[in-house]
Amino acid sequence: IEFAENSELCLIHKNAFSYSSINHLFIPQKVEELKDGWCKNMSKLNSISISSKNKRFSTIDNKMIVGKSDIKSDTFNLLVFACRDIERAVIPSNIEIICPFSFSWCKKLKLVEIEKDSKLEIIGKDSFAKSSIEKFIVPSHVNQICDRCFYKCENLESVKFEENSELSLIGRKAFSL
């Protein structure tokens, strides 16, 4: 799906593309909000691009969408989406939230590296659901692992928590098969 650069589209709602076979998505300049669940059950979305004029969202290597929780900030602190064919993800230290469904259905994903001095606090619901992740190290500042975070991750062998963990919540079915 490609929207015109001058599109008036400013919001993509929850379940907007759910179960679609879309494999490419262009996000125009005026989109300011991608509601939680906008990419739910999108197993074929392997190509993304974002208008260079968009102030809220950007990409990392055209494989991950990052966003700002505050449009006035210079810092992209949200990891919003990863292309479903990603094999390795490096999460920058400035990311505070891995948004819901961001890595779900990433069937080639094996390795997630989180940079040192991570500010990550929340791993959103279904964020790695049905992915092929094999191991995960939870940074010390993470205080929430939300519902179904690693749901149906059949290859997940190891989850380690860094020393001085601030974890206070593990959600329902977070590690359920």
Side-chain angles (χ1 to χ4, degrees):
I1 291 184
E2 257 191 68
F3 299 99
E5 176 65 42
N6 62 353
S7 169
E8 293 298 317
L9 180 68
C10 59
L11 167 80
I12 297 178
H13 237 289
K14 177 181 179 178
N15 297 323
F17 304 117
S18 188
Y19 292 102
S20 72
S21 59
I22 294 167
N23 59 25
H24 173 77
L25 179 65
F26 170 73
I27 298 176
Q29 66 181 355
K30 292 187 180 178
V31 172
E32 291 186 1
E33 189 171 3
L34 298 170
K35 291 280 192 184
D36 286 351
W38 73 274
C39 59
K40 181 180 180 182
N41 296 313
M42 292 185 74
S43 62
K44 298 181 188 270
L45 185 53
N46 295 325
S47 173
I48 51 170
S49 52
I50 297 175
S51 167
S52 59
K53 296 177 183 174
N54 189 298
K55 292 180 169 85
R56 176 77 71 169
F57 300 102
S58 185
T59 66
I60 298 175
D61 299 328
N62 290 324
K63 282 297 186 185
M64 294 190 293
I65 297 175
V66 290
K68 299 176 185 177
S69 57
D70 178 359
I71 201 160
K72 295 174 185 168
S73 174
D74 291 333
T75 304
F76 290 94
N77 63 331
L78 308 172
L79 198 151
V80 178
F81 177 81
C83 287
R84 300 318 191 206
D85 64 349
I86 195 167
E87 296 176 18
R88 176 179 175 260
V90 177
I91 300 175
S93 61
N94 54 294
I95 297 298
E96 296 172 11
I97 299 172
I98 297 176
C99 296
F101 304 99
S102 51
F103 288 94
S104 67
W105 288 98
C106 289
K107 292 295 188 180
K108 295 181 179 181
L109 180 66
K110 302 286 185 226
L111 181 62
V112 174
E113 294 178 41
I114 301 174
E115 291 183 344
K116 299 258 189 246
D117 302 323
S118 172
K119 293 177 177 66
L120 186 61
E121 295 178 6
I122 298 172
I123 304 173
K125 78 176 194 173
D126 290 282
S127 53
F128 290 94
K130 300 179 184 175
S131 72
S132 293
I133 190 169
E134 295 175 346
K135 59 184 174 180
F136 192 84
I137 298 173
V138 181
S140 61
H141 294 302
V142 170
N143 57 56
Q144 293 180 43
I145 296 176
C146 297
D147 293 353
R148 297 180 312 277
C149 180
F150 295 97
Y151 180 71
K152 291 199 175 181
C153 289
E154 296 170 356
N155 297 332
L156 185 63
E157 296 175 0
S158 162
V159 176
K160 293 186 179 179
F161 298 87
E162 286 187 344
E163 285 187 37
N164 303 319
S165 174
E166 297 172 15
L167 188 64
S168 62
L169 172 78
I170 297 177
R172 293 180 319 105
K173 299 183 178 182
F175 298 94
S176 179
L177 291 177

